[in-house]
Amino acid sequence: MRQTAIVTEIESLAPSILQLTVSFSADFAFEPGQYVDFRFPEGVSRAYTIASAPQRPEAVQLCVRIGAGRGGEALRKLEPGAEVQIDGPYGDFLLPADDPTGVVFLAGDVGIAPVRSIVLHLLAIKDPRRIVVLYEPDQRNILYAGDFDPLARAGEIVHESGPIETLVERNRAVIKESIVMAAGFDPFLERVHNALESIDADAHAAITESFGPQP
């Protein structure tokens, strides 16, 4: 389904990473963990992940990495107030709703965006499942630390950052008894697969979301 939206805010989260906030005239329904096809005024379209929870369907946040090519050029020219077209939502990076098992998220770089959407949703609906977020940032740019760190201090989630192999080894016990969801670029997902196998966890059972080749 295509809807017209207005870009209301453009925020720099880290070098080459932006958060776009878009508003709709009608509520935009989506499941946490999904993405949209974002069509720029120039007609260029790119897939961008939703980073906000569905509790605010009138203002959706998208986390995007500025890449090379026409998409990157269009992002650099984008300004607040621009009218864009949004197709979607798409994607099946979805936490099973009927499984009370705790969940461990393994995220690399902007792969933290769909994780943020799911985590904020789980907390908003007071889901009792244990939530563990293991994050490998790009060059120490820990995205959304302002959300995750206070939640970790309050004991609502576990949030750790560092090399994913180290985090998997450190949390091997909880990983083996949890649903595992992993999101990031292909090389990261391959490393996740190998790390899970190294602790004798079922790597093939993990729910994964690929962001494509490493940019």
Side-chain angles (χ1 to χ4, degrees), residues 184-189 209-215:
F185 294 106
D186 290 340
F188 173 80
L189 292 179
E209 178 79 345
S210 170
F211 281 53
Q214 188 73 36

Side-chain angles (χ1 to χ4, degrees), residues 113-190:
V115 172
R116 178 181 185 252
S117 178
I118 298 171
V119 169
L120 294 181
H121 172 69
L122 290 176
L123 297 176
I125 65 173
K126 301 187 185 305
D127 191 292
R129 280 179 278 198
R130 177 178 54 198
I131 302 170
V132 177
V133 179
L134 306 179
Y135 178 46
E136 180 178 287
D138 176 45
Q139 299 179 355
R140 299 186 180 180
N141 295 309
I142 301 178
L143 304 179
Y144 297 117
D147 294 299
F148 290 118
D149 286 349
L151 293 173
R153 287 195 296 270
E156 296 187 70
I157 68 170
V158 173
H159 178 229
E160 299 179 13
S161 60
I164 201 62
E165 292 85 359
T166 302
L167 299 179
V168 167
E169 174 62 32
R170 184 186 301 159
N171 293 275
R172 60 188 302 155
V174 68
I175 286 173
K176 289 185 176 183
E177 59 187 28
S178 303
I179 296 170
V180 175
M181 300 184 69
F185 294 106
D186 290 340
F188 173 80
L189 292 179
E190 182 176 352

Side-chain angles (χ1 to χ4, degrees), residues 37-130:
D37 188 52
F38 184 98
R39 189 172 297 273
F40 289 88
E42 298 91 339
V44 179
S45 64
R46 292 291 185 272
Y48 291 150
T49 303
I50 301 171
S52 53
Q55 280 71 26
R56 289 190 62 210
E58 74 286 354
V60 174
Q61 295 172 328
L62 308 173
C63 181
V64 304
R65 175 173 281 281
I66 304 174
R70 296 175 62 202
E73 292 175 8
L75 262 177
R76 292 183 182 91
K77 292 190 293 185
L78 191 67
E79 295 182 353
E83 182 178 289
V84 297
Q85 301 295 315
I86 302 290
D87 289 335
Y90 304 111
D92 53 8
F93 187 65
L94 306 174
L95 179 64
D98 55 353
D99 190 335
T101 307
V103 57
V104 175
F105 296 101
L106 308 176
D109 195 20
V110 290
I112 197 66
V115 172
R116 178 181 185 252
S117 178
I118 298 171
V119 169
L120 294 181
H121 172 69
L122 290 176
L123 297 176
I125 65 173
K126 301 187 185 305
D127 191 292
R129 280 179 278 198
R130 177 178 54 198

